[in-house]
Every structure is written in structure tokens, then in C-alpha cells.
Amino acid sequence: MSLSVAVAGASGYAGGELLRLLSAHPEFEVTTVTANQNAGQPLISIQPHLRSLAHLQLHPTDAATLVGHDVVFLALPHGKSGEVTAALSTDTLIIDCGADHRLESEADWAEFYGGEYFGAWSYGLPELLTRTGTQRDSLRGATRIAVPGCNVTAITLALAPGIHSGVILGDDLVSVLAVGPSGAGKSLKTELLGSELMGSANAYQVGGVHRHNPEIRQNLVTAGGVDVSISFTPVLVPMSRGILATSTAKLAPGTTESQVRDAWESAYADEPFVHVLPAGRFPRTADTLGANTALIGLAVDEAAGRVVVVSALDNLVKGTAGAAIQSANIALGFAETTGLSVDGVAP
């Protein structure tokens, strides 16, 4: 018997991607979709690519609408999830794709987000290394899950194995990301207009002010048990979806290139969705589109004494909706890969 599912924020990019993946999931049946401004309209009028869900109508986003479902996915703006989750049963599995429940530090929340702090939930990045295993250990049986930020996933998966194994140092981490504008959501902003994006690239939230900074540090501390310092700069580029992160770190003294490669390959050897490419190969965002995969390429810059890690993923799948469903599968005891594909779309 399928579990009943509600998706809040179904009119946005993340909500639409959740629905696309959920429509093919054998254990879930989407019975309710909600929105704010678009409430009352047929889903198909807002998400015309979701033909199999044309029978659904968008309802208002409130706790009364979400009550009574087995699983609730939240794809709401930051600060909005916490307003509705308190009224839902503790037996309901809730997966929040926003930031409201990601940060363990209330001080970090106050500095980078502001407003009411709603507390940290089980963190939905199964492949994140911990001192005793992986993050999936805390997801089994969980009923409250916070999905990571998409930039956070790209950087964390790139650097965590090196921090965990000690082959890189954590005091001088640098990451520059090429990101597609879908990560900023569907709201109308001048800088996201096609005429502004086409033929251009621009850095934004430069100088350590991006809201994903504390979450990245939180994850790398979890992986290595030591403090880290990272400079992270996102660059908006004219591709609708995708993230290509180039991350570098100082090589630990005496570490060989073979030890570096072994650290990443050992960390992800059994992971269905994180793949380390052969030496000399580096990923393209195009190879991850539509798939729940993160692809990783490695190099050692001997002259600079640094490790270079290039990671690629689809920000709407592995960066958001795919991670949410992957985490829900683990929480509910389904096979982790259920309803998710490693195959992208090409060309």
C-alpha cells in the first residue's frame, strides 16, 4: 500500500523536482500539493511538464492542509517551514528542503538568517562521513529530516573524505562554484532574468557572507572532528541547473598522491550516488542533469602543495529533491535507491 504524500511549495523549482521524482516512486502516492500565491490553480498550469499529476490542484500552504499524510515534503522559503511543522504529528515523516532545521548553532542561525530559530533536525546527507560511520546512521527511523543546501552538498562531498582521513589540512580551504540560477528559486529578480544571465558570469555573496558558510563548516567538523576555515565563493553562470565546485586544500605533510586518491575512493566505494572518477578525469555538470549523482575528480597540485577536488551535481536533484527522497527512503526502511536514478539526460 502506497504512503500518502503532501508536497508544500509545489509551484517552485524544488517542489516541481520533488513531484517529478515522486511520481515514479513505487512506495509513494502524491495526494496533496500546496502553494501560496498559486493556490487554487491546477498544478499542471504551473508545472506543465508534470503530466502524470495533472489531476492535482494546488491548495493553500497551512498546517490544516498538511495534517493526516504519511510523509510531508516542504519546499518553502527560509523561515516558513518552522511555522507549519509544529502542528503536524510526530508520527508524520517531514522532510524540509529549506534551511530552517539545518544548523545546530542558534548563534549561526541568528548571524546568517535571523528570525526565530526552530532547532536542528536529523541531517539529510547520507554520505556525510562522521567519526563513527556515515550520516545515514542517524536517518534510520527519523521522522524529522533537514535536507542540505545544494552548494553545501557539492563542497561537503568534495572535501569531507580528505578532512576525515587527515590527508588535507582544514585551515585553508577554498571553494569556487559555478552555479545555475534555479538554485535561487522562481521568484522574479532582475539579476536572474535571461537577458542579464546570457553571456555573463558573476560572483555573488562574496566575502564569507553566503548563508551556506556555517553549514559547510558544520559538516566538515562532523567529518573530521577539527575546526576548519573555508572561503567559499559562488559564481552565477548561464545554465538553468547544475553546480560545478572546484575546491582546494593544503596537502598534509608527507602525504602521497596515492594516499589522497585512496581516501576518496575508500570513502565512496560503496556509495550508490557518489562516484569518484579515474585519475585524470573530471566531471561535467551535463553528466549529472536529472540524476541523483555527485561526480568527483581529484588532482594533486605538487607545486602548490594542494589537493584539487572538482565536484559536479544537479542542484535540483542531488542538491535538493533527490537528497530528500534518498533520506526519506532510509528513514522508512526502503532501499536507498528507490525511485532515484544514476542516469542523467544527454545531450
Side-chain angles (χ1 to χ4, degrees):
M1 181 177 176
S2 296
L3 298 177
S4 63
V5 174
V7 175
S11 60
Y13 288 135
E17 196 68 4
L18 276 166
L19 291 169
R20 183 181 73 85
L21 298 174
L22 288 168
S23 67
H25 196 293
E27 304 293 345
F28 293 146
E29 180 184 0
V30 178
T31 57
T32 302
V33 290
T34 81
N36 287 316
Q37 292 182 347
N38 294 305
Q41 298 188 52
L43 175 67
I44 199 70
S45 68
I46 306 300
Q47 304 282 18
H49 63 297
L50 299 176
R51 311 307 297 180
S52 67
L53 301 176
H55 59 286
L56 295 175
Q57 182 172 349
L58 291 162
H59 298 278
T61 299
D62 53 43
T65 303
L66 300 175
V67 164
H69 296 84
D70 298 310
V71 185
V72 175
F73 291 91
L74 303 174
L76 302 174
H78 303 323
K80 298 299 182 181
S81 299
E83 296 176 2
V84 299
T85 55
L88 302 182
S89 168
T90 56
D91 295 329
T92 300
L93 172 59
I94 306 175
I95 302 95
D96 184 12
C97 295
D100 291 17
H101 302 284
R102 294 171 184 165
L103 296 181
E104 297 171 0
S105 166
E106 185 172 356
D108 282 343
W109 175 266
E111 179 180 356
F112 284 87
Y113 290 92
E116 185 176 355
Y117 176 66
F118 295 103
W121 286 358
S122 297
Y123 194 68
L125 184 56
E127 302 90 352
L128 174 60
L129 295 165
T130 68
R131 303 311 294 168
T132 59
T134 63
Q135 184 64 21
R136 61 173 48 84
D137 296 332
S138 73
L139 294 173
R140 297 186 178 97
T143 61
R144 299 291 187 272
I145 296 172
V147 178
C150 53
N151 297 316
V152 177
T153 298
I155 296 174
T156 298
L157 293 177
L159 293 175
I163 296 291
H164 181 79
S165 63
V167 301
I168 62 175
L169 304 180
D171 63 341
D172 182 21
L173 306 173
V174 178
S175 190
V176 178
L177 287 70
V179 301
S182 59
K186 250 185 184 179
S187 59
L188 294 177
K189 300 175 183 175
T190 300
E191 64 271 22
L192 300 180
L193 294 174
S195 56
E196 302 289 334
L197 285 171
M198 295 303 106
S200 182
N202 65 283
Y204 63 99
Q205 294 187 9
V206 180
V209 299
H210 195 287
R211 288 173 167 180
H212 286 169
N213 271 281
E215 190 182 346
I216 295 165
R217 293 196 300 269
Q218 175 179 286
N219 289 353
L220 296 180
V221 169
T222 295
V226 296
D227 289 336
V228 299
S229 174
I230 184 165
S231 177
F232 144 56
T233 304
V235 179
L236 198 64
V237 298
M239 56 184 184
S240 60
R241 58 164 81 193
I243 295 176
L244 187 74
T246 302
S247 303
T248 74
K250 290 191 293 188
L251 191 65
T255 300
T256 66
E257 186 169 356
S258 174
Q259 289 172 317
V260 168
R261 178 154 290 275
D262 181 65
W264 270 262
E265 290 182 344
S266 297
Y268 297 135
D270 298 322
E271 292 294 347
F273 297 118
V274 184
H275 303 160
V276 179
L277 302 185
R281 297 278 302 277
F282 296 92
R284 309 180 305 171
T285 57
D287 299 326
T288 68
L289 298 187
N292 195 49
T293 51
L295 305 182
I296 293 175
L298 287 168
V300 174
D301 185 337
E302 297 283 2
R306 298 183 75 86
V307 174
V308 181
V309 190
V310 180
S311 55
L313 54 79
D314 184 327
N315 58 292
L316 293 178
V317 187
K318 185 56 178 163
T320 308
I325 293 171
Q326 183 182 349
S327 298
N329 285 339
I330 295 170
L332 293 166
F334 301 144
E336 189 169 333
T337 57
T338 305
L340 300 169
S341 177
V342 297
D343 296 328
V345 177

